[in-house]
Amino acid sequence: MGVVALCAGLGAWTLLPARRGRRAVLMVLLALPLVVGAVQWRVWRIATAWPAERESRIERASSRLQQDLTAGVVADEQAADRATGYCGIDRRTAFRRLGDLAPDGGVELAVAILDGDGTPWAWAGRHRLLPEVAGDSLTVRSSKYYLLLESRRPCAGHRTAVASLLVWADPVDPDRAASLVERFRAATGVSLRVYLAGAAPNDPDVFDYQVDTPTGPRTLFSVRPVPPSQGDARVAALAQGARLTGWLVLLLLLASIAASTRARERFAFAVVAVGLLAFTPLGPALGAGTLFSSATFFRSLLGPFSRSAGILAATGTLASAAGVALWRRRIRRTWGGRALAVLLLVGAPYLVSDLARGITPPTDGVPLLLWLTWQVALLTAAAAPVLLAAALLRGPDDAPRGAPGTLWVAIGVALGAAVVGLVVWNPRYGWPDWYTFLWAPALLLLMRRAPRWAVIVGVGLVAGSAAGLVTWGAELEGRLLVAGRDVGRLGEEPDPFAVPQLEKFAGQVAAATEPSSAAELYALWRSSAIAGEDYPAELALWSPRGIPRVELPLDSLDLPEPMVSAFVRNMDTTVTTEVASLARVPGMHYLLLVRLADGAVLSAAVGPRTVLIPPDRLSRLLDPPARGAPLYDLVLSY
């Protein structure tokens, strides 16, 4: 990508006028090899001098660590100090004022005002641990999954204001990105291992965070910087270099286009830009991965120019601009040009309809931005052949005459065709074959003599109507396709992946510390590979006699407790792992039993991946579902 852009930039510098644009292009050209060279040097240093690079990363992270920890403590103490001013006001106002102290961004901070007996009186933010009245003005509280800094201040009404700063959260927590440790890792690329006071190993890299007290310094907790592995550091360096190079390439092309004095030069640079988007990972390098993702749009009709919605939109925009430019040249009409124009007009609806089949709705819903991306891509794809056809049908003596009355007729015909399309669309077959011809009159009317601006507006409205309609239909077809896959998992159809995944989880249970609580059971499940496959699940710990000790119902499976208890009681004492396949409603369920060292049995049951199995309230609390309307709903009837 950088080599192609460098060649394009050199061409731009030689073609552009001496006093206009060459200086800006030259500056970007000089910066481009410097950035590429710096990235290559950094990758080379990681590959050949990793011990020194690793030590340098630790030193840089350690110098910033003190600042971040101090800033976090200051924010925590300031929140507690400000909360003391709300202890004597009415409760409704206190809730509102405390909400202003818990920021939406930055490190996670929670505030609470407690009565003298510890009962929460007002609070705001997310409390990982229940705040306590007793304790020093600044202390550390921890559990197996969280470490918090708490600041306490006495206030009016024998109450106590408590502010809690999230320092560390266990990796099994799906919402740990707001912790101080995770934000530090995102900023520096260096992770932190946190230890309670006095529990850190004797390592020169360990940093003790201390506060001054009347009796001397007191260690609150200790951290040890953990740099990334050599492979991860190399991947991160390449990704950062690709991002910087991508922005420089974009800046180079924009500067070249802006500095060009002739239309053909600007068009040539635009062609280079579209080519880079189509044949290089420029789009993802710029951070626009969703726009240029083949997971939400892919069609092989135009080759690399239709592999994503972003590339298709850029290609359609360039082709539309080419049509307008060709129209302005007023080329001579020929029979071959007229035949090609007719083919473009007739094929435009079919082209858009075929490209719309590339739309793939995500399983967690379609956001508005993605919908608009699809529609813009199809709009430009529909407008391009129509504008090219208009340019071929116009001649040097074909000046516009009169008011563009046919423009409104064409728009009316297009809107009427769109309304008919909403009526005749069939969930099973889509649109009938004859429906595409309804758009032909609107396209032909646009070819009548009219000012260029009027035709462009008409093409935009007609193509926009068609693009909106086919986007609607393609999204519905995608929803039906996903729903059909869901239905295919129902009944007695076996799942070829469930049993191997459960067996892997059994091996993980055998290698890990045996869980004894619901929290430990959930942490063990969250760290497994099967947890990321969206299987509905229920977990439990049982006594050897089949009496439940700990239950973790993440989803509502059709496995009554007496049934699972019977499997536990009948489990062969000579084996440590069993997997049973059960034909239940609405599909096959799989039950894993793992005998632990103390004789207890861990059960993990999974069902078919379908929306017919709703998540339990506990699951919705631990891992909230994505916001937005679901792709589809299924109803099971008897």
Side-chain angles (χ1 to χ4, degrees):
M1 181 174 63
V3 175
V4 176
L6 186 61
C7 296
L10 289 173
W13 185 71
T14 56
L15 292 175
L16 292 177
R19 295 183 178 180
R20 181 179 180 182
R22 294 183 69 177
R23 182 176 300 177
V25 174
L26 180 61
M27 292 178 62
V28 181
L29 277 175
L30 292 176
L32 189 60
L34 292 177
V35 170
V36 174
V39 172
Q40 294 299 325
W41 178 85
R42 188 176 182 185
V43 173
W44 173 84
R45 180 172 172 80
I46 292 173
T48 61
W50 175 242
E53 177 68 16
R54 181 180 183 277
E55 186 64 27
S56 176
R57 289 170 181 254
I58 292 177
E59 291 178 0
R60 291 196 302 267
S62 299
S63 62
R64 176 170 176 167
L65 181 60
Q66 175 71 36
Q67 302 175 3
D68 287 7
L69 290 176
T70 301
V73 172
V74 170
D76 191 54
E77 291 184 327
Q78 289 179 348
D81 292 336
R82 292 180 60 185
T84 57
Y86 309 143
C87 295
I89 62 178
D90 65 279
R91 195 175 188 185
R92 183 185 298 272
T93 305
F95 270 103
R96 186 174 63 254
R97 298 287 178 84
L98 290 180
D100 298 334
L101 301 181
D104 294 332
V107 181
E108 183 177 296
L109 182 67
V111 189
I113 298 177
L114 310 178
D115 284 329
D117 59 355
T119 303
W121 180 73
W123 58 88
R126 184 174 182 179
H127 293 268
R128 305 287 182 146
L129 300 175
L130 186 65
E132 296 179 347
V133 173
D136 296 333
S137 59
L138 180 63
T139 186
V140 170
R141 294 189 60 213
S142 65
S143 68
K144 187 175 180 179
Y145 306 103
Y146 303 110
L147 187 140
L148 307 174
L149 267 176
E150 279 194 352
S151 297
R152 292 177 181 80
R153 301 290 187 272
C155 55
H158 303 287
R159 296 189 175 109
T160 302
V162 182
S164 303
L165 184 81
L166 180 61
V167 177
W168 169 83
D170 192 274
V172 300
D173 184 355
D175 194 17
R176 64 183 183 279
S179 66
L180 190 147
V181 169
E182 284 298 312
R183 291 184 62 84
F184 183 85
R185 183 194 60 78
T188 64
V190 176
S191 300
L192 297 175
R193 186 163 295 170
V194 183
Y195 304 91
L196 294 176
N202 186 14
D203 191 318
D205 293 336
V206 171
F207 174 80
D208 296 326
Y209 187 76
Q210 298 177 333
V211 293
D212 294 328
T213 65
T215 59
R218 177 168 61 94
T219 300
L220 293 177
F221 57 89
S222 302
V223 295
R224 180 165 66 90
V226 181
S229 64
Q230 186 176 9
D232 292 340
R234 182 178 181 275
V235 171
L238 290 174
Q240 184 179 16
R243 184 165 55 253
L244 292 175
T245 304
W247 281 109
L248 281 176
V249 168
L250 180 63
L251 181 61
L252 175 63
L253 293 172
L254 292 178
S256 302
I257 293 173
S260 301
T261 57
R262 291 179 293 183
R264 65 181 61 182
E265 293 174 355
R266 289 192 290 268
F267 185 77
F269 290 124
V271 170
V272 173
V274 174
L276 287 175
L277 288 174
F279 294 100
T280 67
L282 177 60
L286 296 175
T290 303
L291 184 62
F292 295 92
S293 173
S294 299
T296 56
F297 184 93
F298 178 82
R299 196 66 176 165
S300 60
L301 179 64
L302 302 180
F305 297 99
S306 59
R307 69 179 184 183
S308 71
I311 296 174
L312 179 61
T315 304
T317 301
L318 182 63
S320 300
V324 174
L326 193 64
W327 189 355
R328 296 181 62 180
R329 293 178 62 88
R330 294 183 177 275
I331 60 175
R332 185 170 59 89
R333 287 192 297 264
T334 62
W335 285 107
R338 292 172 178 173
L340 178 59
V342 172
L343 290 177
L344 289 173
L345 290 175
V346 174
Y350 290 98
L351 172 68
V352 177
S353 178
D354 189 275
L355 289 174
R357 298 181 183 276
I359 292 176
T360 306
T363 56
D364 56 352
V366 180
L368 178 61
L369 180 60
L370 181 58
W371 172 278
L372 293 177
T373 301
W374 290 335
Q375 189 160 348
V376 169
L378 295 178
L379 166 63
T380 56
V386 178
L387 290 173
L388 288 172
L392 294 172
L393 292 176
R394 306 287 172 171
D397 58 342
D398 192 7
R401 295 180 300 182
T406 56
L407 168 67
W408 306 113
V409 178
I411 294 174
V413 172
L415 293 178
V419 172
V420 173
L422 294 175
V423 176
V424 302
W425 183 82
N426 185 284
R428 186 173 182 180
Y429 303 106
W431 284 285
D433 295 335
W434 55 264
Y435 172 70
T436 308
F437 291 101
L438 293 184
W439 292 90
L443 298 177
L444 292 175
L445 288 172
L446 290 175
M447 300 299 104
R448 298 293 298 273
R449 293 183 180 183
R452 186 168 53 248
W453 68 266
V455 176
I456 293 176
V457 170
V459 170
L461 292 174
V462 173
S465 302
L469 180 67
V470 297
T471 302
W472 169 80
E475 188 203 0
L476 286 183
E477 290 179 1
R479 290 172 181 258
L480 292 174
L481 179 61
V482 177
R485 294 173 182 171
D486 188 326
V487 173
R489 303 187 189 107
L490 305 181
E492 297 184 0
E493 184 70 23
D495 188 335
F497 303 104
V499 173
Q501 292 282 6
L502 286 175
E503 291 175 345
K504 290 181 181 179
F505 177 62
Q508 182 178 343
V509 172
T513 303
E514 295 183 357
S516 59
S517 64
E520 295 176 355
L521 193 59
Y522 179 73
L524 183 62
W525 176 257
R526 282 289 305 181
S527 61
S528 66
I530 191 173
E533 298 296 332
D534 294 330
Y535 280 98
E538 287 185 355
L539 294 93
L541 292 175
W542 305 79
S543 70
R545 300 180 58 185
I547 301 175
R549 293 179 178 177
V550 176
E551 295 179 290
L552 186 63
L554 298 178
D555 299 279
S556 303
L557 299 183
D558 183 27
L559 291 177
E561 182 179 303
M563 175 186 294
V564 181
S565 177
F567 274 96
V568 172
R569 291 194 306 270
N570 297 329
M571 184 179 180
D572 191 344
T573 56
T574 62
V575 299
T576 58
T577 302
E578 285 186 0
V579 180
S581 301
L582 307 172
R584 305 294 297 175
V585 177
M588 293 297 296
H589 288 48
Y590 301 90
L591 176 64
L592 168 69
L593 301 178
V594 180
R595 191 177 298 279
L596 306 179
D598 61 352
V601 177
L602 183 151
S603 69
V606 298
R609 290 174 289 184
T610 172
V611 297
L612 289 174
I613 299 179
D616 193 84
R617 287 181 296 178
L618 177 62
S619 178
R620 290 195 295 266
L621 176 65
L622 295 173
D623 191 7
R627 295 182 179 180
L631 284 183
Y632 59 93
D633 290 319
L634 293 181
V635 178
L636 187 64
S637 60
Y638 298 92

